Amino acid sequence: MTHASISQDDVKHVAKLARLELDDAEVQQLATDLSNILGLVETLNELDLEGVSDTPQTSQPALYRADEQRHVYDRAHLMRNAPEVDGQFFRVPKILD
Amino acid sequence: MSTASMAAQASQTTYEMVIGLEVHIQLKTTTKLFSDALTTFGADPNEQTTPICLGMPGVLPVVNEKAVELAILTGLALNCHIAEVTKFDRKHYFYPDLPKGYQISQYDMPICYDGHIDVLGRRIGIERAHLEEDAGKLVHGGADGLAGSTYSLVDLNRAGMPLLEIVSRPDIRSSEEARVYGETLRNLVRYIDVCDGNLEEGSMRVDVNISVRPTGETKLGTKTELKNMNSFRYIQKAIEYEAQRQIALVESGQAIVQESRLWNEAKGITESMRSKEDAHDYRYFPDPDLRPLTISRQQVDEIGARMPELPHQRLARFKDTFGLSDYDATQLVDAKELGDFFDRTAQHTKNYKAIANWLMGDITNVLKTQQQSLGATTLTPENLASMIELTDQGTISSAIAKKLLPDLMAGDKTPQQLVDEKGLAQISDTGAIEAMCKEVLEANPDNIAQYKAGKTKVLGFLVGQVMKASKGKANPQMINDILIRIIENS
């Protein structure tokens, strides 16, 4: 069984997608940490799953919601924890493409 | 002449366009796809949000059953297979229009797949139609657009709106076919009442994938994606321009860059959006918050049984049952409200051609002038039918009927009441018409001579004069006959 590992390049790629700025030490540390986490998940491979089909999620039937409004929320309350608001809007810093 | 054949003259090589459309329709539900926030258009910013739309920690999305039903109905109308099991996936990207860092969409198990619709006599394949949530809206501050902006304002009313993305196969071969495909789709979703089909308000959005290749070549060229065009006319123009741009690049040996482009209507060109393609790594995985949906065949059958008449079925019925021409029937099918009104009026008079003429002519003109919808006027099918019957019976002239129309569209009187009140009944009394004809002829002796000399066209002028004298109430056929009789006997 091969050990899954996260390279430093993987970390940099995901960090870029997530708009995270990491220094070299952090990249190295995260590569090690994330590899360890994946390694831990790999212990699941010890289970005998012969004959068990792939199940992306629980096999319980889905729950549906009726198409009606049940709760009314106060906007000011919902926006209370936002770092910055501007009138009726959330305000976010300059977007980097 | 199409772009492809124009280029052919310059270089001896002929090209064909390969086009596929991705159309997002907003499903007509009361609440969002995964939360009970309302979907009403035009609310104040962030007024229609819940902790789920805002991506608050610890919340759980729950699927709106109505959205799934509308997706199935649309899939059936598109001749698609409906999946027995379908699931939701997370599509990851970091942008403030979706605060939770991913969009809930469907990746490899879409709810509808493998369908088709017929466009201009050709069958266009539908690869898939999948459910997904919409993103919020950004207003960039400190500049006109994103470039140069110093901050952005976020309105999350649209975040979580239920969308069905309908993806065609790359079967479309011309800009006209692309436009008609889009129009056909819009008609369809309006008929089955799953979407408003309003491009300007964004309840329907169209992206176009386009590439060119030498005719006969089977390998696909590099494609570009034209985004967010808000009218079908623009779509056709943008495709024409883009195909020509790509052909010019190929002819001069340059590479086509796979990228997203925007149509600039003012300049009449497409422009690169300059987005970094390597940022498109969506890392899809099944959304663990949402269980897979199992759709029973019984449920599909029940939804299919509610399928209303589709546009192509109505077209055939209007032609077969009412004897309308292809042109008339198409006009009435494309404007659904007029077609509905036609159907109701046809229960009260058998002069179907007249109903079609009124609806597409004078009634449409009044609606355009007053910027009104037919439903907002007081015109009833009974009154329109009655006016047609009064004209056919010769009680009123068609000129008078036209004058009555505004009163019928903004009042509560019947045509008969209006005719009685205003004394508009057509004059069919031979003696009265003869007297008016004589007066007109006495005032225009030259015309009599001209008519006798063979210039029979002057008759039209004379009829018009008598009509005027009668204030539009004289029977025109009788005027015609009486004038000829008097002139020939003089």
Side-chain angles (χ1 to χ4, degrees):
Chain A
M1 192 185 304
T2 57
H3 257 296
S5 76
I6 301 282
S7 71
Q8 295 193 16
D9 282 345
D10 291 335
V11 172
K12 285 180 191 163
H13 177 60
V14 174
K16 187 181 168 199
L17 293 172
R19 310 286 192 270
L20 293 176
E21 198 177 11
L22 302 175
D23 63 31
D24 288 349
E26 287 170 317
V27 169
Q28 202 173 355
Q29 186 61 47
L30 277 165
T32 308
D33 290 351
L34 291 171
S35 296
N36 286 341
I37 291 169
L38 269 192
L40 183 65
V41 174
E42 281 196 347
T43 52
L44 288 173
N45 286 334
E46 291 167 18
L47 292 171
D48 179 11
L49 297 175
E50 194 67 33
V52 178
S53 62
D54 286 352
T55 23
Q57 292 118 319
T58 165
S59 54
Q60 294 293 308
L63 296 173
Y64 287 105
R65 180 176 59 77
D67 183 26
E68 57 193 39
Q69 187 182 35
R70 294 233 176 120
H71 315 86
V72 177
Y73 293 93
D74 173 42
R75 179 175 56 192
H77 183 68
L78 288 177
M79 296 178 81
R80 201 174 55 183
N81 290 340
E84 206 179 348
V85 295
D86 188 335
Q88 301 169 316
F89 294 93
F90 295 99
R91 182 173 163 137
V92 295
K94 176 178 166 63
I95 295 167
L96 303 171
D97 193 25
Chain B
M1 189 186 293
S2 78
T3 308
S5 54
M6 274 161 54
Q9 291 178 349
S11 73
Q12 306 302 316
T13 310
T14 59
Y15 290 86
E16 69 172 359
M17 305 181 195
V18 178
I19 300 166
L21 263 62
E22 291 170 12
V23 178
H24 287 86
I25 59 167
Q26 186 189 318
L27 297 170
K28 274 171 93 170
T29 57
T30 305
T31 61
K32 292 184 179 178
L33 186 51
F34 299 112
S35 84
D36 69 347
L38 295 176
T39 55
T40 324
F41 180 79
D44 277 351
N46 293 305
E47 197 58 72
Q48 293 178 168
T49 57
T50 67
I52 291 177
C53 323
L54 298 181
M56 297 283 188
V59 297
L60 275 178
V62 185
V63 183
N64 183 339
E65 187 167 26
K66 177 84 181 290
V68 173
E69 287 174 9
L70 296 182
I72 293 171
L73 186 67
T74 311
L76 292 174
L78 296 170
N79 305 295
C80 284
H81 295 276
I82 308 301
E84 295 193 22
V85 180
T86 180
K87 69 176 170 72
F88 291 100
D89 301 276
R90 293 182 177 183
K91 176 182 178 177
H92 296 85
Y93 67 89
F94 283 86
Y95 206 67
D97 61 1
L98 266 181
K100 59 189 186 303
Y102 58 87
Q103 175 191 30
I104 304 175
S105 181
Q106 298 196 286
Y107 184 52
D108 55 351
M109 293 171 69
I111 186 164
C112 313
Y113 59 95
D114 277 351
H116 64 262
I117 56 172
D118 292 330
V119 173
L120 298 173
R122 286 188 66 233
R123 181 148 290 186
I124 306 299
I126 306 289
E127 187 176 310
R128 56 186 285 162
H130 65 260
L131 282 163
E132 64 182 29
E133 58 178 343
D134 204 349
K137 202 174 98 183
L138 299 182
V139 181
H140 302 297
D144 286 343
L146 176 59
S149 65
T150 51
Y151 63 92
S152 300
L153 300 176
V154 186
D155 172 8
L156 294 171
N157 281 347
R158 228 176 53 190
M161 291 282 201
L163 301 180
L164 187 72
E165 178 174 345
I166 301 165
V167 183
S168 86
R169 294 195 184 281
D171 291 346
I172 297 167
R173 291 289 174 271
S174 73
S175 61
E176 186 196 16
E177 214 168 68
R179 174 179 57 79
V180 178
Y181 169 87
E183 288 169 348
T184 304
L185 208 53
R186 180 174 59 177
N187 252 357
L188 195 69
V189 299
R190 283 179 174 169
Y191 268 70
I192 61 176
D193 201 27
V194 297
C195 171
D196 294 332
N198 189 330
L199 273 74
E200 280 172 18
E201 286 180 5
S203 66
M204 182 169 183
R205 299 199 289 271
V206 182
D207 298 333
V208 179
N209 286 302
I210 170 172
S211 63
V212 298
R213 64 183 175 192
T215 308
E217 171 66 62
T218 51
K219 227 178 75 187
L220 291 169
T222 305
K223 67 176 181 184
T224 58
E225 186 180 22
L226 308 177
K227 308 230 16 139
N228 283 336
M229 282 164 291
N230 63 7
S231 91
F232 289 117
R233 205 166 51 83
Y234 290 175
I235 288 168
Q236 186 166 2
K237 283 162 76 178
I239 290 173
E240 280 299 324
Y241 174 86
E242 181 61 15
Q244 199 153 28
R245 190 188 71 87
Q246 291 187 9
I247 290 168
L249 286 173
V250 172
E251 291 274 302
S252 64
Q254 297 176 68
I256 292 162
V257 179
Q258 181 165 347
E259 62 181 355
S260 296
R261 299 179 68 84
L262 279 179
W263 172 244
N264 182 327
E265 172 61 16
K267 293 184 189 163
I269 61 171
T270 63
E271 295 171 318
S272 173
M273 290 175 74
R274 301 193 196 291
S275 59
K276 290 177 189 140
E277 289 299 317
D278 68 345
H280 291 203
D281 178 354
Y282 295 127
R283 294 153 291 138
Y284 282 98
F285 68 73
D287 192 322
D289 286 345
L290 289 155
R291 296 172 183 175
L293 308 180
T294 305
I295 299 169
S296 73
R297 297 307 92 179
Q298 187 196 342
Q299 190 188 359
V300 173
D301 290 345
E302 280 167 11
I303 292 170
R306 302 203 297 261
M307 183 73 69
E309 184 181 47
L310 298 178
H312 70 274
Q313 294 164 336
R314 177 175 272 192
L315 183 75
R317 184 169 61 84
F318 278 4
K319 284 156 68 170
D320 297 345
T321 309
F322 299 116
L324 295 184
S325 68
D326 190 61
Y327 177 83
D328 288 354
T330 303
Q331 300 273 106
L332 290 176
V333 166
D334 285 351
K336 182 169 184 293
E337 195 185 22
L338 295 186
D340 291 344
F341 204 89
F342 175 89
D343 255 336
R344 289 161 60 205
T345 311
Q347 292 171 14
H348 303 283
T349 173
K350 298 213 176 317
N351 191 347
Y352 307 124
K353 173 69 182 157
I355 307 173
N357 286 349
W358 274 106
L359 286 169
M360 294 174 329
D362 290 85
I363 292 172
T364 296
N365 289 342
V366 172
L367 295 177
K368 272 188 188 152
T369 313
Q370 308 193 345
Q371 296 193 326
Q372 245 182 340
S373 71
L374 187 52
T377 74
T378 57
L379 187 68
T380 63
E382 290 82 358
N383 282 346
L384 177 58
S386 158
M387 187 165 70
I388 289 169
E389 302 263 289
L390 287 174
T391 314
D392 289 348
Q393 291 156 9
T395 308
I396 56 172
S397 67
S398 54
I400 291 292
K402 280 177 197 288
K403 281 187 191 159
L404 286 183
L405 185 64
D407 289 328
L408 290 179
M409 293 177 78
D412 53 7
K413 297 206 166 96
T414 65
Q416 188 64 57
Q417 285 170 332
L418 289 168
V419 168
D420 292 346
E421 270 176 27
K422 301 188 175 186
L424 295 172
Q426 181 159 260
I427 302 169
S428 297
D429 167 16
T430 314
I433 295 177
E434 205 170 285
M436 287 187 279
C437 286
K438 280 181 177 158
E439 258 179 57
V440 166
L441 289 174
E442 276 162 24
N444 299 282
D446 296 352
N447 291 107
I448 300 176
Q450 284 171 336
Y451 183 85
K452 284 188 166 172
K455 276 191 72 180
T456 51
K457 270 196 283 183
V458 297
L459 192 65
F461 166 77
L462 294 169
V463 172
Q465 291 300 303
V466 179
M467 204 62 180
K468 209 166 139 189
S470 77
K471 300 197 173 69
K473 292 191 289 182
N475 181 323
Q477 190 54 48
M478 288 180 70
I479 302 177
N480 205 67
D481 295 346
I482 291 171
L483 278 173
I484 293 174
R485 180 160 51 80
I486 298 175
I487 295 174
E488 286 178 351
N489 293 338
S490 65

